[in-house]
Amino acid sequence: MNFWPLFIVLGAVLVTAGFIAFLISRIRKQPVEEAKIREVQGFIRVGAMAFLKREYKILAVIVVAVAILIGIFLNVQDYFLSGLATAVSFLVGAILSALAGFIGMRAATDGNGRTAQAAKNKGMGGALGIAFAGGTIMGLVVAALGLLGLSTLILVFYSIYGNISVVVTIVTGFGLGAGIIGLFARVGGGIYTKAADVGADLVGKVEKGIPEDDPRNPATIADNVGDNVGDVAGMGADLFESLVVSIIATISLAVIGGMAGFSYNILHLILFPLLVCAGGLIASIVGSFFVRGDKPALKLRVGQYVATGVSALITLGISLILFSNLIPFVVVIIGNIVGLAVGQITEYYTSSSYRHIKYMKKMSSTGSATNVLSGLSTGMLSTALPILVLATAIVTSYLIAGMYGIALAAVGMLSTVGLTIAVDAFGAISDNAGGLAEMGGLDKSVRKITDELDAVGNTTAAIGKGFAIGSAALTSLALFITFIASFYTITGTDITEMLNLANPILIAGLLIGGMLPFLFSSMTIKSVSKAAGDMIKEVRRQFKEKPGIMDGTESPDYAKCVDISTKAALREMIVPGLLAIFAPIAAGLLMGYVGLAGLLAGALVSGILMGLFQSNAGGAWDNTKKSIEADGEKGSEIHAAAVTGDTVGDPFKDTSGPSLNTLIKLMTIVSVIFIPIFALIENGRGILGMF
Amino acid sequence: MNFWPLFIVLGAVLVTAGFIAFLISRIRKQPVEEAKIREVQGFIRVGAMAFLKREYKILAVIVVAVAILIGIFLNVQDYFLSGLATAVSFLVGAILSALAGFIGMRAATDGNGRTAQAAKNKGMGGALGIAFAGGTIMGLVVAALGLLGLSTLILVFYSIYGNISVVVTIVTGFGLGAGIIGLFARVGGGIYTKAADVGADLVGKVEKGIPEDDPRNPATIADNVGDNVGDVAGMGADLFESLVVSIIATISLAVIGGMAGFSYNILHLILFPLLVCAGGLIASIVGSFFVRGDKPALKLRVGQYVATGVSALITLGISLILFSNLIPFVVVIIGNIVGLAVGQITEYYTSSSYRHIKYMKKMSSTGSATNVLSGLSTGMLSTALPILVLATAIVTSYLIAGMYGIALAAVGMLSTVGLTIAVDAFGAISDNAGGLAEMGGLDKSVRKITDELDAVGNTTAAIGKGFAIGSAALTSLALFITFIASFYTITGTDITEMLNLANPILIAGLLIGGMLPFLFSSMTIKSVSKAAGDMIKEVRRQFKEKPGIMDGTESPDYAKCVDISTKAALREMIVPGLLAIFAPIAAGLLMGYVGLAGLLAGALVSGILMGLFQSNAGGAWDNTKKSIEADGEKGSEIHAAAVTGDTVGDPFKDTSGPSLNTLIKLMTIVSVIFIPIFALIENGRGILGMF
């Protein structure tokens, strides 16, 4: 096979790198004149970078341990050092994901203060330009590094082994590396951001009555750091994983014969998803040019539609050139539509323009309990339409293009992921900019601009979460099919018909797998509570021991609060993270592939549902509170009721809900990687199967 | 085949009928001397009976419509009028379930006032005796009518058709009848009880500051009626369905060859579950004798252990006589253990003696939001152990005795269901007795006795809910296996291998099925909110228009509140109820048996999880509040926080959570019944399958 078209992909990556350099220089050109902003921005950057460094140090231990296991145990048949090659792929995946987080975080913490400054100097247009440039860097870095890593590894290892099916197995290690970083970044970032947020709010806003982002609040820096580690680094690592894993699943299914429901050439099936994503990279750059000027909400939407349109055109061209056929193009479009539809549905259930938030506002007038209940029921209800959209897309893309089609739909959904992340990260940068404007004592007119950007950012963040879950669903499903199909190529046994619903071991697996997202959510919610408790104690202590903080004669100890969030997040992320890695391995060893397949399917179904439920309920509570505030009801009883729901929703929407995406993806890719081990035990039937 | 041993079952039913008559006379012998209690008891009885009558009138329409459909479309092959026979079975199932509810409700509303009176005249021993006699009537009526109906139908239709496999199909109609009544009774009763409860609490206790069960509260009668229609009639109909459906599934799998993992005689396999349950009936009567004297919590437990022990001995005997083999006995014991274990686990997560409620109390000190979050995370966590127990039981009973073994474990779990219901219904009667003692102005010492009974009842109610979910899980699974197996016997196609996880239509079904419990819960929670809203308005109106209520110079209009609860419950139960009936039919028609099987499995998994999560979270919030009250913190801020959680938990534990049991059971039995229809369309592949 001749993989020369991968150099086109690398070319697109190179173009993107140039554009990223341009964006960085554009951000840097905006000076930060206000000394106070420069100072606070420095605190945020130092805090955020310190968190990343400490997180990566811990992850390095886990990653190296897993790499050694892979290197020793996972040699592919008789291919020399192929286990080592898989370990290298794995390390590259982990390192590139970490690097994407690093660069993106750097851009975000460079952009926040400059956005505030630009809002002062140049108004809305200037602020939107800087904030969106910061977000675009994150988005493009994620997409470009994903494509760079995959293309390079395929080229290198194909030149070494000359067998594409071995190369696919090796490259799957890349997905596992991305998956491990993705999970820990989501969970750690999610715990960090909510511990700081709840701590800052409960003591600062509620007990001391000082406004949001007041520099007298010791936790305010930690809160702003949290926006970055959660919404920027966490989201980026999550979607980095989705992107690379969906491509890997597509390539795997291309290599395993008979998976595509149309006539094909294997090489073309392999190249197609990579070229589509390279096109999406360029389309994202094009789209980003349309996000400028005065109306941020409108312009962000225009940018996304332009990117989707350009990407569709490029896909059409690739589809015709490679296959002389529209089928692959149609499937990619199905993926695009799913992405847009899930986002719109999320908005319908979480935006105050529609009836559900209106209902929740009404229910808030009878107190906290009815507010909470209405949020829970809205969250549960909001699972229905996305599930129907996903189910329809799965069946349709399968009927059109076989198993390969399902994986391709996931790729289609993620093809313009660069811009999707940009829109999401832009919100976090704007949120930070607002905080810096407040802390820097800038004029109210500046705050008005950053507030408008922040409000837009809140909507896009909710939509982004819906998108992340939807993409995790399709990606995990594609990977799950790869798991079943790979079993055949690796062990020579076709297990498909064993995996039927009349098999009680499979049902037991389904039940246990379905339970894992509940257990995982319970753990992460408790972690937030514990971490927030630590933070509350510290903030109270500072106010008590330094009475001068309130009148400005003493400085609060920001670093101490940052340190508490960091430590708590790093401590609390370990157990849920290891659960995700070891649950599928334990299931595979004990219950064999039948129980493991059941476990993965159960976790997939309940993970998507619990993810949608929690994220959307959280978003709905958040916007109910904001809408009540916009009505001028701040401080009223109805507002107090809404604050309760909002606080309940905080870990739902930023920790436990979105972490489930990474849980279901990581569990599935761990299962794919360790197939050779499971196959060793009693021909894959597991220890229980010996009875 | 000679079914003469069924006359032993009928004999046990006859003995039970005699014992029930004795219990009724025992209750009646206790006069109600206090005029006020007599009066209020009359209100409750009239309200409860009026609700049942109106509910049954609505259900009669649905039942007759379904019966006509069955009679016309579901003829078994060429057996003359076998469709009509199935319709008759169906009607008998519905009528017997309704009758059980009627008799049990009558006993409960007879027993409540007499329990209060007995507490005054004879102290704890007397009160426990009457309350438990009332509960035992409900429990034994449910178990006895279930066995009476099944045995009689088998005897009658076997004498007509002489073919056991036709008889099994016909008798499955009995399960559908029980299922429809079960679902509507649970949903309607759940909405009724919580609308009244929340309405009475929010206006009476919170706004007006009058105590629980104060006769000045217009909603207080409705609240007491609610305890009966929810905990007595709803629970009874739910477990009536579990009992008969688990027996039907066992018999079906006995008839379908090769389902039992040990050597067997089909007739014996059919007789075994019925004889075991007849033994359980007698064992329940024996156990009930041990519930007497002073220590209600201990005595109830002793009674249950005795019943389980006696039942195990009888089962041992039957197992040896029929099979000369211990295998069926062991499987029944596995079922027994599951029942006890799930109950104990429920207690661990919801009782204030253990660490989870202690943690929730601690979290209540930082406000409503942290109380709510701790309840949600405790509820999610509480799914893990019951799922592991269920999964282990499923795999073990399968390995020991094949598919038949799984169904038999469900039967084992339910063999002493008479006593399980008795213990649960006893709580509702005691709760009512406490209310009557308060309203009748009895001495504080009386109230102390009824309070102790009520506290015990709260624990047993939580355990009962766990048991109901566990039994619904095993029963639905047994029925699900029957669905797959019956497809073969009815259509001649073995679909087992089609139902594999690599089939995307099955995955789509899994996702949609998994979503249904979320949708269903959302609907029922909203229904409670709406109904409670109606009630709140009415109670407020009465207090406003009749200012004399507060000083006792005017009587509140209890009947109006009862009417509002009744109307709201009956109105709101229709849509979720029809969803349960039509979702599987629509899935079967559109997505064929593959999609339908996925749908059922998805609903099974997520229904059990959401049921456990919601019921246990609700129970945990309830006991957190009670434990804070017991600490003398009533009226404090920590108590206010706990009240929020308790109110959120009300529909969770009494409406949406337990209703899911009936949802998953009904959807599965509807699917089994309509197999011949699904098989008509494109050989069972559904409308989508035509593409």
Side-chain angles (χ1 to χ4, degrees):
Chain A
M1 289 182 185
N2 192 336
F3 286 102
W4 71 263
L6 289 184
F7 288 101
I8 300 179
V9 176
L10 294 178
V13 170
L14 206 65
V15 170
T16 309
F19 186 67
I20 291 170
F22 159 74
L23 289 176
I24 291 175
S25 79
R26 188 173 154 200
I27 291 178
R28 292 267 163 95
K29 245 190 280 172
Q30 167 69 50
V32 182
E33 292 146 11
E34 313 283 332
K36 182 73 192 172
I37 290 190
R38 237 188 350 256
E39 185 197 341
V40 180
Q41 186 182 15
F43 289 147
I44 295 175
R45 186 187 306 127
V46 169
M49 288 304 171
F51 173 77
L52 272 198
K53 278 177 201 154
R54 284 166 70 174
E55 185 181 48
Y56 291 161
K57 251 188 218 164
I58 294 175
L59 294 187
V61 177
I62 296 173
V63 164
V64 168
V66 174
I68 292 171
L69 281 177
I70 292 175
I72 295 173
F73 291 109
L74 293 184
N75 280 294
V76 185
Q77 295 146 20
D78 304 326
Y79 288 87
F80 186 62
L81 289 183
S82 55
L84 186 65
T86 309
V88 169
S89 273
F90 168 73
L91 286 173
V92 172
I95 290 168
L96 287 187
S97 176
L99 184 63
F102 207 84
I103 297 174
M105 190 81 114
R106 181 83 210 182
T109 54
D110 267 0
N112 52 10
R114 293 180 163 88
T115 300
Q117 186 71 51
K120 188 185 167 198
N121 300 6
K122 303 178 195 162
M124 174 57 84
L128 175 61
I130 299 286
F132 191 69
T136 307
I137 293 171
M138 178 77 210
L140 292 178
V141 163
V142 162
L145 286 181
L147 290 176
L148 173 69
L150 275 175
S151 303
T152 312
L153 290 174
I154 292 172
L155 287 167
V156 169
F157 287 117
Y158 190 75
S159 76
I160 295 175
Y161 292 105
N163 175 326
I164 184 62
S165 130
V166 175
V167 171
V168 165
T169 306
I170 291 170
V171 166
T172 306
F174 186 77
L176 181 63
I180 286 189
I181 303 295
L183 182 119
F184 283 100
R186 260 295 189 201
V187 175
I191 294 170
Y192 189 115
T193 181
K194 288 301 115 177
D197 188 15
V198 172
D201 282 3
L202 259 174
V203 186
K205 275 158 73 176
V206 179
E207 294 180 11
K208 292 287 167 182
I210 58 180
E212 176 97 28
D213 292 322
D214 192 296
R216 291 172 293 178
N217 191 333
T220 191
I221 300 291
D223 190 9
N224 279 283
V225 171
D227 292 340
N228 289 297
V229 301
D231 284 347
V232 181
M235 179 74 158
D238 182 355
L239 288 176
F240 182 87
E241 179 190 6
S242 282
L243 176 69
V244 302
V245 165
S246 67
I247 297 175
I248 291 170
T250 315
I251 294 175
S252 301
L253 293 170
V255 171
I256 300 165
M259 285 295 169
F262 55 97
S263 63
Y264 56 85
N265 164 322
I266 287 181
L267 177 62
H268 292 174
L269 290 180
I270 295 171
L271 291 173
F272 188 66
L274 288 156
L275 290 169
V276 165
C277 290
L281 204 52
I282 303 301
S284 296
I285 295 175
V286 175
S288 75
F289 282 103
F290 289 80
V291 185
R292 57 172 66 206
D294 270 346
K295 295 179 182 153
L298 177 69
K299 293 304 169 59
L300 286 167
R301 193 161 292 194
V302 169
Q304 283 192 291
Y305 281 117
V306 168
T308 308
V310 172
S311 171
L313 278 178
I314 298 175
T315 303
L316 179 65
I318 304 170
S319 188
L320 288 174
I321 293 169
L322 287 184
F323 303 99
S324 317
N325 189 326
L326 284 181
I327 288 176
F329 165 72
V330 171
V331 175
V332 168
I333 297 298
I334 290 175
N336 281 332
I337 292 172
V338 171
L340 294 175
V342 172
Q344 291 307 311
I345 294 167
T346 308
E347 196 180 353
Y348 173 65
Y349 285 102
T350 59
S351 152
S352 55
S353 317
Y354 302 99
R355 68 189 179 89
H356 293 286
I357 301 302
K358 285 178 187 149
Y359 170 73
M360 285 175 65
K361 283 169 74 175
K362 204 181 106 194
M363 295 302 288
S364 307
S365 65
T366 36
S368 299
T370 42
N371 166 281
V372 170
L373 275 173
S374 64
L376 291 169
S377 66
T378 302
M380 289 175 187
L381 182 64
S382 77
T383 61
L385 288 179
I387 289 291
L388 291 179
V389 167
L390 284 167
T392 309
I394 290 166
V395 172
T396 319
S397 50
Y398 168 68
L399 293 175
I400 296 176
M403 295 299 191
Y404 179 84
I406 294 175
L408 195 55
V411 171
M413 188 168 175
L414 289 155
S415 55
T416 56
V417 71
L419 205 71
T420 308
I421 297 174
V423 169
D424 201 78
F426 140 86
I429 296 172
S430 304
D431 191 354
N432 258 239
L436 287 164
E438 179 79 27
M439 286 182 267
L442 295 191
D443 194 71
K444 269 195 186 152
S445 63
V446 174
R447 184 77 215 211
K448 201 165 158 265
I449 291 172
T450 58
D451 275 356
E452 188 182 339
L453 287 178
D454 187 22
V456 174
N458 274 316
T459 307
T460 60
I463 295 175
K465 266 159 210 149
F467 178 86
I469 298 171
S471 76
L474 279 187
T475 301
S476 303
L477 178 57
L479 209 56
F480 177 68
I481 294 166
T482 308
F483 167 75
I484 297 175
S486 300
F487 229 100
Y488 176 67
T489 57
I490 292 172
T491 67
T493 319
D494 184 356
I495 61 168
T496 314
E497 293 182 349
M498 294 285 292
L499 303 181
N500 70 69
L501 290 178
N503 191 332
I505 294 174
L506 185 120
I507 297 280
L510 268 182
L511 282 169
I512 296 172
M515 173 268 283
L516 289 178
F518 286 77
L519 177 61
F520 194 83
S521 297
S522 168
M523 282 178 173
T524 48
I525 291 171
K526 269 200 184 158
S527 295
V528 170
S529 300
K530 263 163 82 178
D534 293 354
M535 183 63 85
I536 289 171
K537 260 186 232 155
E538 171 60 22
V539 178
R540 281 187 186 150
R541 186 192 65 79
Q542 289 200 24
F543 275 123
K544 199 176 155 201
E545 293 178 9
K546 299 184 174 185
I549 291 179
M550 281 300 281
D551 54 27
T553 56
E554 274 183 287
S555 305
D557 185 353
Y558 300 127
K560 183 81 193 160
C561 289
V562 168
D563 188 56
I564 282 177
S565 267
T566 304
K567 273 193 187 140
L570 298 179
R571 181 187 72 219
E572 297 290 331
M573 76 181 184
I574 303 288
V575 177
L578 295 182
L579 174 73
I581 299 174
F582 288 109
I585 297 178
L589 295 179
L590 279 172
M591 307 201 294
Y593 52 75
V594 175
L596 174 58
L599 182 105
L600 294 176
L604 177 71
V605 170
S606 110
I608 297 167
L609 285 162
M610 286 291 280
L612 287 168
F613 158 50
Q614 294 182 75
S615 293
N616 292 346
W621 276 312
D622 187 10
N623 282 330
T624 301
K625 186 197 74 170
K626 291 205 171 101
S627 175
I628 287 170
E629 286 174 0
D631 295 347
E633 298 266 14
K634 217 167 175 166
S636 66
E637 278 197 21
I638 183 171
H639 183 248
V643 167
T644 302
D646 182 47
T647 312
V648 172
D650 268 339
F652 261 45
K653 76 179 200 300
D654 289 320
T655 316
S656 52
S659 295
L660 293 176
N661 310 338
T662 57
L663 173 75
I664 57 178
K665 283 182 293 186
L666 182 56
M667 292 211 317
T668 319
I669 198 151
V670 165
S671 306
V672 174
I673 289 277
F674 285 96
I675 287 174
I677 305 291
F678 305 140
L680 286 179
I681 296 175
E682 187 69 17
N683 201 19
R685 286 173 56 227
I687 292 168
L688 274 179
M690 293 179 184
F691 292 98
Chain B
M1 291 183 184
N2 191 336
F3 284 102
W4 71 263
L6 289 184
F7 287 103
I8 300 178
V9 176
L10 293 178
V13 170
L14 204 65
V15 170
T16 309
F19 186 65
I20 291 170
F22 159 72
L23 290 176
I24 291 175
S25 78
R26 189 173 154 199
I27 291 180
R28 293 267 163 95
K29 244 190 279 172
Q30 167 70 49
V32 183
E33 291 146 11
E34 313 282 331
K36 181 75 190 170
I37 290 190
R38 237 188 350 255
E39 183 197 342
V40 180
Q41 185 182 13
F43 289 147
I44 296 175
R45 185 186 307 127
V46 169
M49 288 305 171
F51 172 76
L52 273 198
K53 278 177 202 153
R54 283 166 69 173
E55 184 181 47
Y56 291 160
K57 250 187 218 165
I58 294 175
L59 294 187
V61 177
I62 297 173
V63 163
V64 169
V66 174
I68 291 171
L69 281 177
I70 292 175
I72 295 174
F73 290 109
L74 293 183
N75 279 295
V76 185
Q77 294 144 20
D78 303 325
Y79 288 88
F80 186 63
L81 290 183
S82 55
L84 185 66
T86 309
V88 169
S89 275
F90 168 73
L91 286 174
V92 172
I95 290 169
L96 287 187
S97 176
L99 184 63
F102 208 83
I103 297 174
M105 191 81 115
R106 181 83 211 184
T109 53
D110 266 359
N112 53 10
R114 292 180 163 88
T115 301
Q117 186 71 50
K120 187 185 168 199
N121 301 6
K122 303 177 196 163
M124 173 58 85
L128 175 60
I130 298 286
F132 190 69
T136 307
I137 292 171
M138 178 76 209
L140 292 178
V141 163
V142 162
L145 286 181
L147 291 176
L148 172 69
L150 277 175
S151 303
T152 312
L153 290 174
I154 293 174
L155 286 168
V156 169
F157 287 118
Y158 190 74
S159 76
I160 294 175
Y161 292 104
N163 177 327
I164 185 62
S165 139
V166 174
V167 171
V168 165
T169 307
I170 290 170
V171 166
T172 307
F174 186 77
L176 180 64
I180 286 190
I181 302 296
L183 182 120
F184 282 99
R186 259 293 190 203
V187 175
I191 294 171
Y192 188 114
T193 181
K194 287 302 115 175
D197 188 14
V198 172
D201 282 4
L202 260 173
V203 186
K205 275 158 74 174
V206 179
E207 294 181 11
K208 293 286 166 181
I210 57 179
E212 176 98 27
D213 292 321
D214 192 296
R216 290 171 295 178
N217 192 333
T220 193
I221 299 294
D223 189 8
N224 279 284
V225 172
D227 292 339
N228 289 297
V229 301
D231 285 348
V232 180
M235 178 73 156
D238 182 355
L239 288 176
F240 182 86
E241 178 189 7
S242 282
L243 176 69
V244 302
V245 165
S246 68
I247 297 175
I248 290 170
T250 315
I251 294 175
S252 302
L253 294 170
V255 171
I256 299 164
M259 286 294 168
F262 54 96
S263 63
Y264 55 85
N265 165 319
I266 287 183
L267 177 63
H268 292 173
L269 290 180
I270 295 170
L271 291 173
F272 188 65
L274 287 157
L275 289 170
V276 166
C277 289
L281 204 52
I282 302 302
S284 296
I285 294 176
V286 174
S288 74
F289 283 104
F290 289 79
V291 185
R292 58 171 67 205
D294 270 346
K295 294 179 182 155
L298 177 70
K299 294 303 169 59
L300 286 167
R301 193 161 293 192
V302 169
Q304 282 191 290
Y305 282 116
V306 168
T308 307
V310 172
S311 169
L313 278 179
I314 297 175
T315 303
L316 179 65
I318 303 171
S319 188
L320 288 175
I321 292 169
L322 287 183
F323 303 98
S324 317
N325 189 327
L326 284 181
I327 288 178
F329 166 71
V330 171
V331 174
V332 168
I333 296 298
I334 290 175
N336 281 331
I337 293 171
V338 171
L340 293 174
V342 172
Q344 291 306 308
I345 295 167
T346 308
E347 194 180 354
Y348 174 64
Y349 285 102
T350 58
S351 150
S352 54
S353 319
Y354 301 99
R355 69 190 179 86
H356 294 286
I357 301 302
K358 284 177 186 148
Y359 170 74
M360 285 176 64
K361 282 169 73 174
K362 204 181 106 194
M363 296 303 288
S364 306
S365 66
T366 37
S368 299
T370 42
N371 166 280
V372 170
L373 276 172
S374 65
L376 291 169
S377 67
T378 302
M380 289 174 187
L381 181 65
S382 77
T383 61
L385 289 180
I387 289 290
L388 292 178
V389 167
L390 284 168
T392 310
I394 290 166
V395 172
T396 319
S397 48
Y398 167 68
L399 293 175
I400 296 176
M403 295 300 192
Y404 179 82
I406 295 175
L408 196 54
V411 171
M413 190 170 175
L414 289 154
S415 54
T416 56
V417 71
L419 206 70
T420 309
I421 297 174
V423 169
D424 201 79
F426 141 86
I429 295 172
S430 304
D431 191 353
N432 257 239
L436 286 165
E438 179 78 26
M439 287 184 265
L442 295 192
D443 194 70
K444 269 194 185 154
S445 63
V446 174
R447 184 78 213 209
K448 202 165 159 266
I449 290 171
T450 59
D451 275 357
E452 189 183 338
L453 287 179
D454 187 23
V456 174
N458 274 314
T459 308
T460 59
I463 296 176
K465 265 159 212 150
F467 178 87
I469 298 171
S471 75
L474 280 187
T475 300
S476 303
L477 178 57
L479 209 56
F480 177 67
I481 295 166
T482 308
F483 167 75
I484 297 175
S486 300
F487 229 99
Y488 177 66
T489 56
I490 291 172
T491 68
T493 319
D494 184 357
I495 61 169
T496 314
E497 293 180 347
M498 295 284 293
L499 303 181
N500 71 69
L501 289 178
N503 190 331
I505 294 175
L506 186 120
I507 298 279
L510 269 181
L511 283 169
I512 296 172
M515 172 268 282
L516 289 178
F518 286 77
L519 178 61
F520 192 83
S521 297
S522 169
M523 282 179 174
T524 48
I525 291 172
K526 269 201 183 158
S527 295
V528 170
S529 300
K530 264 164 80 179
D534 293 352
M535 183 63 87
I536 289 171
K537 258 186 234 156
E538 170 61 21
V539 178
R540 281 188 185 148
R541 185 192 67 78
Q542 289 200 24
F543 276 123
K544 200 178 154 199
E545 293 178 9
K546 299 184 177 187
I549 291 180
M550 281 301 280
D551 54 28
T553 56
E554 272 182 287
S555 305
D557 185 354
Y558 300 127
K560 182 82 193 160
C561 289
V562 168
D563 188 56
I564 282 177
S565 266
T566 303
K567 273 194 187 138
L570 297 179
R571 181 186 71 220
E572 297 289 330
M573 76 181 185
I574 302 289
V575 177
L578 294 181
L579 174 74
I581 299 175
F582 287 110
I585 296 178
L589 295 179
L590 279 172
M591 307 201 295
Y593 54 74
V594 174
L596 175 57
L599 182 106
L600 295 177
L604 177 70
V605 170
S606 111
I608 296 167
L609 285 161
M610 287 292 280
L612 287 168
F613 159 49
Q614 294 183 74
S615 293
N616 291 347
W621 275 313
D622 187 11
N623 282 328
T624 302
K625 186 197 73 170
K626 291 206 172 101
S627 175
I628 288 171
E629 286 174 359
D631 294 349
E633 296 267 15
K634 216 165 175 168
S636 66
E637 278 196 20
I638 184 172
H639 183 249
V643 167
T644 304
D646 182 46
T647 312
V648 172
D650 268 339
F652 262 45
K653 74 177 202 300
D654 289 320
T655 315
S656 51
S659 296
L660 292 175
N661 310 338
T662 56
L663 173 75
I664 57 178
K665 284 183 292 185
L666 182 56
M667 292 209 319
T668 319
I669 197 151
V670 165
S671 306
V672 174
I673 288 278
F674 285 96
I675 288 175
I677 305 291
F678 306 140
L680 286 179
I681 296 176
E682 187 70 16
N683 202 19
R685 285 172 59 228
I687 292 167
L688 273 179
M690 293 180 185
F691 292 97

